[in-house]
Amino acid sequence: MINKNGKQWFDTNGNPIQAHGGMILKHDIRYYWYGENKNANNTISSIGGRKVDFIGISCYSSNNLKDWCYEGLVLEASNDRSDSLYKDKIIERPKVIFSEKTKEFVLWFHYDYDDYLYAACGVATSKSPTGPFKVQKIFKPNRKDSRDFTIFKDAEKAYLIHSSDFNKTTYISELNETYTDVTGLYTKALVDQEREAPTMFKNQNMYFMITSGTTGWDANAALYSRSPFLFSPHKLIDNPCEGPNYRQTFYGQPSYVLEVEEQFYLMLDHWVPENLQKSGYSILPIDIIGNKKRDLRINWTDSPFGGKY
Ligand code: GAL
């Protein structure tokens, strides 16, 4: 199946890939793509927003980053109204990390009510990359709200990077050794900048974040920031995108930065607000430029991974 950037993608059975707001994890020799399954019609939330009732978190696996085999729902909605995973809940932007200490896969997700006012994190664990994951806790990290987020591993330590203070400020919160909780140590990275959809990567001792603005499902201009230290304020620099539609991030919104063979790639969701299940994806190479390799440049390519995979 040939998938094209910006469009819906298809799995090895020819079905649309339902893995929005997601990430790709490499484990042993296989890649696992986790994301939101939005395979249903839109509904309208209690505050008039567009949403799809919670169905579950999907997993797809691949050995070549091209052919994606559906592995099913690794976390599923419940039909029980009293269950924390009842379908009226918002469960978004799943990120999975493997703990060498516990040999468990740890799934983090944004957990919310349909008015987005609860703003918490969920943590679930599984012995297998293809689940099922069992919810361990739903909580506010360091008693802060948490909406869009990513998980970033730096050597053996991992961090939760989350939009907080009603999306005004992006925090970096240290995770414990098992990656299932925060330690209490946190810092403000982007203060009062109103950034969402955070992604993070490190190149040659420089930490880069690519984030979106806060316009819901509508595309806006991405910005990157950098800092030589992770646990410190990061400086916003510029929009990394170039060429047609660069101010709308090519009509995409960041979900994750993935490294493959020493090349970084930005994963984008191409939301279709009026019918979210039809939303597409792109995976674009990130060029690191300048004489000190301190700046980023992202160009559109029709083929995922710039055609490399
Ligand atoms: C976006 C966010 C998405 C989703 C959406 C709802 O800003 O990045 O993950 O929450 O808002 O409107």
Side-chain angles (χ1 to χ4, degrees), residues 172-194:
I172 302 182
S173 301
E174 186 187 62
L175 299 191
N176 68 1
E177 283 189 328
T178 56
Y179 305 152
T180 54
D181 205 345
V182 292
T183 61
L185 199 64
Y186 65 89
T187 193
K188 295 181 180 188
L190 299 171
V191 181
D192 286 346
Q193 298 301 324
E194 298 200 16

PDB file of all heavy atoms in Angstrom, residues 172-194:
ATOM      1  N   ILE A 172       8.126  20.851  31.921  1.00  0.00           N
ATOM      2  CA  ILE A 172       8.863  19.590  31.797  1.00  0.00           C
ATOM      3  C   ILE A 172       8.911  18.967  33.187  1.00  0.00           C
ATOM      4  O   ILE A 172       9.408  19.592  34.131  1.00  0.00           O
ATOM      5  CB  ILE A 172      10.286  19.812  31.253  1.00  0.00           C
ATOM      6  CG1 ILE A 172      10.211  20.503  29.887  1.00  0.00           C
ATOM      7  CG2 ILE A 172      11.042  18.492  31.162  1.00  0.00           C
ATOM      8  CD1 ILE A 172      11.548  20.731  29.218  1.00  0.00           C
ATOM      9  N   SER A 173       8.349  17.772  33.316  1.00  0.00           N
ATOM     10  CA  SER A 173       8.276  17.103  34.611  1.00  0.00           C
ATOM     11  C   SER A 173       9.041  15.786  34.545  1.00  0.00           C
ATOM     12  O   SER A 173       8.807  14.967  33.643  1.00  0.00           O
ATOM     13  CB  SER A 173       6.819  16.811  34.978  1.00  0.00           C
ATOM     14  OG  SER A 173       6.091  18.025  35.027  1.00  0.00           O
ATOM     15  N   GLU A 174       9.932  15.585  35.488  1.00  0.00           N
ATOM     16  CA  GLU A 174      10.745  14.363  35.514  1.00  0.00           C
ATOM     17  C   GLU A 174       9.882  13.162  35.903  1.00  0.00           C
ATOM     18  O   GLU A 174       9.041  13.266  36.796  1.00  0.00           O
ATOM     19  CB  GLU A 174      11.867  14.557  36.539  1.00  0.00           C
ATOM     20  CG  GLU A 174      12.880  13.436  36.571  1.00  0.00           C
ATOM     21  CD  GLU A 174      13.869  13.610  37.720  1.00  0.00           C
ATOM     22  OE1 GLU A 174      13.425  13.609  38.895  1.00  0.00           O
ATOM     23  OE2 GLU A 174      15.056  13.764  37.446  1.00  0.00           O
ATOM     24  N   LEU A 175      10.119  12.013  35.237  1.00  0.00           N
ATOM     25  CA  LEU A 175       9.410  10.777  35.595  1.00  0.00           C
ATOM     26  C   LEU A 175      10.268   9.925  36.526  1.00  0.00           C
ATOM     27  O   LEU A 175      11.501  10.031  36.521  1.00  0.00           O
ATOM     28  CB  LEU A 175       9.075   9.957  34.340  1.00  0.00           C
ATOM     29  CG  LEU A 175       8.165  10.593  33.291  1.00  0.00           C
ATOM     30  CD1 LEU A 175       7.728   9.547  32.272  1.00  0.00           C
ATOM     31  CD2 LEU A 175       6.945  11.256  33.923  1.00  0.00           C
ATOM     32  N   ASN A 176       9.599   9.072  37.275  1.00  0.00           N
ATOM     33  CA  ASN A 176      10.331   8.178  38.188  1.00  0.00           C
ATOM     34  C   ASN A 176      11.005   7.047  37.398  1.00  0.00           C
ATOM     35  O   ASN A 176      10.876   6.962  36.169  1.00  0.00           O
ATOM     36  CB  ASN A 176       9.395   7.656  39.283  1.00  0.00           C
ATOM     37  CG  ASN A 176       8.327   6.721  38.735  1.00  0.00           C
ATOM     38  OD1 ASN A 176       8.283   6.442  37.535  1.00  0.00           O
ATOM     39  ND2 ASN A 176       7.473   6.245  39.604  1.00  0.00           N
ATOM     40  N   GLU A 177      11.681   6.157  38.103  1.00  0.00           N
ATOM     41  CA  GLU A 177      12.496   5.113  37.457  1.00  0.00           C
ATOM     42  C   GLU A 177      11.672   4.128  36.639  1.00  0.00           C
ATOM     43  O   GLU A 177      12.172   3.534  35.695  1.00  0.00           O
ATOM     44  CB  GLU A 177      13.240   4.326  38.529  1.00  0.00           C
ATOM     45  CG  GLU A 177      14.446   5.053  39.082  1.00  0.00           C
ATOM     46  CD  GLU A 177      15.252   4.136  39.983  1.00  0.00           C
ATOM     47  OE1 GLU A 177      14.645   3.267  40.634  1.00  0.00           O
ATOM     48  OE2 GLU A 177      16.481   4.309  40.006  1.00  0.00           O
ATOM     49  N   THR A 178      10.409   3.936  37.029  1.00  0.00           N
ATOM     50  CA  THR A 178       9.578   2.981  36.287  1.00  0.00           C
ATOM     51  C   THR A 178       8.741   3.675  35.210  1.00  0.00           C
ATOM     52  O   THR A 178       7.954   3.033  34.523  1.00  0.00           O
ATOM     53  CB  THR A 178       8.641   2.227  37.247  1.00  0.00           C
ATOM     54  OG1 THR A 178       7.865   3.206  37.968  1.00  0.00           O
ATOM     55  CG2 THR A 178       9.415   1.390  38.243  1.00  0.00           C
ATOM     56  N   TYR A 179       8.912   4.961  35.083  1.00  0.00           N
ATOM     57  CA  TYR A 179       8.197   5.791  34.080  1.00  0.00           C
ATOM     58  C   TYR A 179       6.683   5.816  34.301  1.00  0.00           C
ATOM     59  O   TYR A 179       5.918   6.106  33.379  1.00  0.00           O
ATOM     60  CB  TYR A 179       8.480   5.321  32.650  1.00  0.00           C
ATOM     61  CG  TYR A 179       9.938   5.247  32.268  1.00  0.00           C
ATOM     62  CD1 TYR A 179      10.359   4.329  31.285  1.00  0.00           C
ATOM     63  CD2 TYR A 179      10.890   6.078  32.839  1.00  0.00           C
ATOM     64  CE1 TYR A 179      11.695   4.258  30.906  1.00  0.00           C
ATOM     65  CE2 TYR A 179      12.237   6.003  32.464  1.00  0.00           C
ATOM     66  CZ  TYR A 179      12.627   5.090  31.502  1.00  0.00           C
ATOM     67  OH  TYR A 179      13.937   5.017  31.127  1.00  0.00           O
ATOM     68  N   THR A 180       6.246   5.509  35.510  1.00  0.00           N
ATOM     69  CA  THR A 180       4.797   5.432  35.759  1.00  0.00           C
ATOM     70  C   THR A 180       4.263   6.591  36.593  1.00  0.00           C
ATOM     71  O   THR A 180       3.075   6.622  36.932  1.00  0.00           O
ATOM     72  CB  THR A 180       4.443   4.122  36.498  1.00  0.00           C
ATOM     73  OG1 THR A 180       5.254   4.055  37.680  1.00  0.00           O
ATOM     74  CG2 THR A 180       4.702   2.901  35.637  1.00  0.00           C
ATOM     75  N   ASP A 181       5.148   7.536  36.951  1.00  0.00           N
ATOM     76  CA  ASP A 181       4.715   8.639  37.806  1.00  0.00           C
ATOM     77  C   ASP A 181       5.722   9.784  37.635  1.00  0.00           C
ATOM     78  O   ASP A 181       6.785   9.595  37.043  1.00  0.00           O
ATOM     79  CB  ASP A 181       4.697   8.171  39.278  1.00  0.00           C
ATOM     80  CG  ASP A 181       3.727   8.999  40.127  1.00  0.00           C
ATOM     81  OD1 ASP A 181       3.300  10.081  39.678  1.00  0.00           O
ATOM     82  OD2 ASP A 181       3.413   8.554  41.239  1.00  0.00           O
ATOM     83  N   VAL A 182       5.391  10.922  38.197  1.00  0.00           N
ATOM     84  CA  VAL A 182       6.354  12.029  38.211  1.00  0.00           C
ATOM     85  C   VAL A 182       7.097  12.005  39.549  1.00  0.00           C
ATOM     86  O   VAL A 182       6.609  11.429  40.525  1.00  0.00           O
ATOM     87  CB  VAL A 182       5.652  13.395  38.008  1.00  0.00           C
ATOM     88  CG1 VAL A 182       5.095  13.500  36.592  1.00  0.00           C
ATOM     89  CG2 VAL A 182       4.544  13.617  39.039  1.00  0.00           C
ATOM     90  N   THR A 183       8.284  12.617  39.583  1.00  0.00           N
ATOM     91  CA  THR A 183       9.071  12.600  40.833  1.00  0.00           C
ATOM     92  C   THR A 183       8.782  13.814  41.706  1.00  0.00           C
ATOM     93  O   THR A 183       9.157  13.844  42.867  1.00  0.00           O
ATOM     94  CB  THR A 183      10.577  12.628  40.539  1.00  0.00           C
ATOM     95  OG1 THR A 183      10.864  13.849  39.819  1.00  0.00           O
ATOM     96  CG2 THR A 183      11.024  11.427  39.733  1.00  0.00           C
ATOM     97  N   GLY A 184       8.180  14.844  41.136  1.00  0.00           N
ATOM     98  CA  GLY A 184       7.975  16.082  41.887  1.00  0.00           C
ATOM     99  C   GLY A 184       8.882  17.188  41.380  1.00  0.00           C
ATOM    100  O   GLY A 184       8.678  18.371  41.669  1.00  0.00           O
ATOM    101  N   LEU A 185       9.884  16.799  40.583  1.00  0.00           N
ATOM    102  CA  LEU A 185      10.799  17.799  40.035  1.00  0.00           C
ATOM    103  C   LEU A 185      10.275  18.275  38.674  1.00  0.00           C
ATOM    104  O   LEU A 185      10.032  17.450  37.794  1.00  0.00           O
ATOM    105  CB  LEU A 185      12.167  17.134  39.847  1.00  0.00           C
ATOM    106  CG  LEU A 185      13.378  18.023  39.716  1.00  0.00           C
ATOM    107  CD1 LEU A 185      13.597  18.816  40.992  1.00  0.00           C
ATOM    108  CD2 LEU A 185      14.602  17.168  39.402  1.00  0.00           C
ATOM    109  N   TYR A 186      10.043  19.555  38.535  1.00  0.00           N
ATOM    110  CA  TYR A 186       9.556  20.054  37.252  1.00  0.00           C
ATOM    111  C   TYR A 186      10.047  21.473  37.028  1.00  0.00           C
ATOM    112  O   TYR A 186      10.491  22.148  37.968  1.00  0.00           O
ATOM    113  CB  TYR A 186       8.028  19.992  37.164  1.00  0.00           C
ATOM    114  CG  TYR A 186       7.305  20.894  38.139  1.00  0.00           C
ATOM    115  CD1 TYR A 186       6.988  22.212  37.801  1.00  0.00           C
ATOM    116  CD2 TYR A 186       6.929  20.430  39.393  1.00  0.00           C
ATOM    117  CE1 TYR A 186       6.317  23.040  38.693  1.00  0.00           C
ATOM    118  CE2 TYR A 186       6.260  21.249  40.290  1.00  0.00           C
ATOM    119  CZ  TYR A 186       5.958  22.553  39.931  1.00  0.00           C
ATOM    120  OH  TYR A 186       5.304  23.359  40.813  1.00  0.00           O
ATOM    121  N   THR A 187       9.982  21.908  35.768  1.00  0.00           N
ATOM    122  CA  THR A 187      10.382  23.271  35.454  1.00  0.00           C
ATOM    123  C   THR A 187       9.489  23.817  34.343  1.00  0.00           C
ATOM    124  O   THR A 187       8.825  23.055  33.638  1.00  0.00           O
ATOM    125  CB  THR A 187      11.878  23.325  35.050  1.00  0.00           C
ATOM    126  OG1 THR A 187      12.308  24.671  35.055  1.00  0.00           O
ATOM    127  CG2 THR A 187      12.116  22.721  33.674  1.00  0.00           C
ATOM    128  N   LYS A 188       9.484  25.125  34.189  1.00  0.00           N
ATOM    129  CA  LYS A 188       8.724  25.749  33.112  1.00  0.00           C
ATOM    130  C   LYS A 188       9.651  25.924  31.909  1.00  0.00           C
ATOM    131  O   LYS A 188      10.729  26.507  32.056  1.00  0.00           O
ATOM    132  CB  LYS A 188       8.191  27.112  33.556  1.00  0.00           C
ATOM    133  CG  LYS A 188       7.186  27.015  34.682  1.00  0.00           C
ATOM    134  CD  LYS A 188       6.681  28.384  35.064  1.00  0.00           C
ATOM    135  CE  LYS A 188       5.667  28.267  36.185  1.00  0.00           C
ATOM    136  NZ  LYS A 188       4.992  29.533  36.471  1.00  0.00           N
ATOM    137  N   ALA A 189       9.236  25.404  30.743  1.00  0.00           N
ATOM    138  CA  ALA A 189      10.114  25.470  29.572  1.00  0.00           C
ATOM    139  C   ALA A 189       9.734  26.633  28.650  1.00  0.00           C
ATOM    140  O   ALA A 189      10.592  27.391  28.202  1.00  0.00           O
ATOM    141  CB  ALA A 189      10.058  24.158  28.813  1.00  0.00           C
ATOM    142  N   LEU A 190       8.455  26.755  28.320  1.00  0.00           N
ATOM    143  CA  LEU A 190       7.988  27.856  27.457  1.00  0.00           C
ATOM    144  C   LEU A 190       6.936  28.612  28.259  1.00  0.00           C
ATOM    145  O   LEU A 190       5.807  28.147  28.385  1.00  0.00           O
ATOM    146  CB  LEU A 190       7.380  27.318  26.160  1.00  0.00           C
ATOM    147  CG  LEU A 190       8.299  26.500  25.246  1.00  0.00           C
ATOM    148  CD1 LEU A 190       7.495  25.857  24.125  1.00  0.00           C
ATOM    149  CD2 LEU A 190       9.410  27.376  24.665  1.00  0.00           C
ATOM    150  N   VAL A 191       7.303  29.726  28.811  1.00  0.00           N
ATOM    151  CA  VAL A 191       6.433  30.432  29.759  1.00  0.00           C
ATOM    152  C   VAL A 191       5.517  31.407  29.023  1.00  0.00           C
ATOM    153  O   VAL A 191       5.989  32.256  28.244  1.00  0.00           O
ATOM    154  CB  VAL A 191       7.281  31.189  30.807  1.00  0.00           C
ATOM    155  CG1 VAL A 191       6.386  31.915  31.811  1.00  0.00           C
ATOM    156  CG2 VAL A 191       8.220  30.230  31.520  1.00  0.00           C
ATOM    157  N   ASP A 192       4.212  31.260  29.251  1.00  0.00           N
ATOM    158  CA  ASP A 192       3.207  32.162  28.668  1.00  0.00           C
ATOM    159  C   ASP A 192       3.265  32.241  27.142  1.00  0.00           C
ATOM    160  O   ASP A 192       2.944  33.279  26.557  1.00  0.00           O
ATOM    161  CB  ASP A 192       3.359  33.578  29.247  1.00  0.00           C
ATOM    162  CG  ASP A 192       2.842  33.658  30.672  1.00  0.00           C
ATOM    163  OD1 ASP A 192       2.145  32.705  31.100  1.00  0.00           O
ATOM    164  OD2 ASP A 192       3.133  34.653  31.351  1.00  0.00           O
ATOM    165  N   GLN A 193       3.673  31.150  26.493  1.00  0.00           N
ATOM    166  CA  GLN A 193       3.780  31.172  25.026  1.00  0.00           C
ATOM    167  C   GLN A 193       2.596  30.491  24.346  1.00  0.00           C
ATOM    168  O   GLN A 193       2.507  30.495  23.118  1.00  0.00           O
ATOM    169  CB  GLN A 193       5.087  30.511  24.561  1.00  0.00           C
ATOM    170  CG  GLN A 193       6.335  31.224  25.051  1.00  0.00           C
ATOM    171  CD  GLN A 193       6.406  32.670  24.597  1.00  0.00           C
ATOM    172  OE1 GLN A 193       5.993  33.002  23.483  1.00  0.00           O
ATOM    173  NE2 GLN A 193       6.911  33.540  25.454  1.00  0.00           N
ATOM    174  N   GLU A 194       1.713  29.866  25.136  1.00  0.00           N
ATOM    175  CA  GLU A 194       0.513  29.221  24.587  1.00  0.00           C
ATOM    176  C   GLU A 194       0.827  28.249  23.453  1.00  0.00           C
ATOM    177  O   GLU A 194       0.313  28.387  22.342  1.00  0.00           O
ATOM    178  CB  GLU A 194      -0.501  30.279  24.128  1.00  0.00           C
ATOM    179  CG  GLU A 194      -0.960  31.131  25.279  1.00  0.00           C
ATOM    180  CD  GLU A 194      -2.256  31.849  25.030  1.00  0.00           C
ATOM    181  OE1 GLU A 194      -2.975  31.477  24.086  1.00  0.00           O
ATOM    182  OE2 GLU A 194      -2.542  32.783  25.792  1.00  0.00           O
TER     183      GLU A 194
END
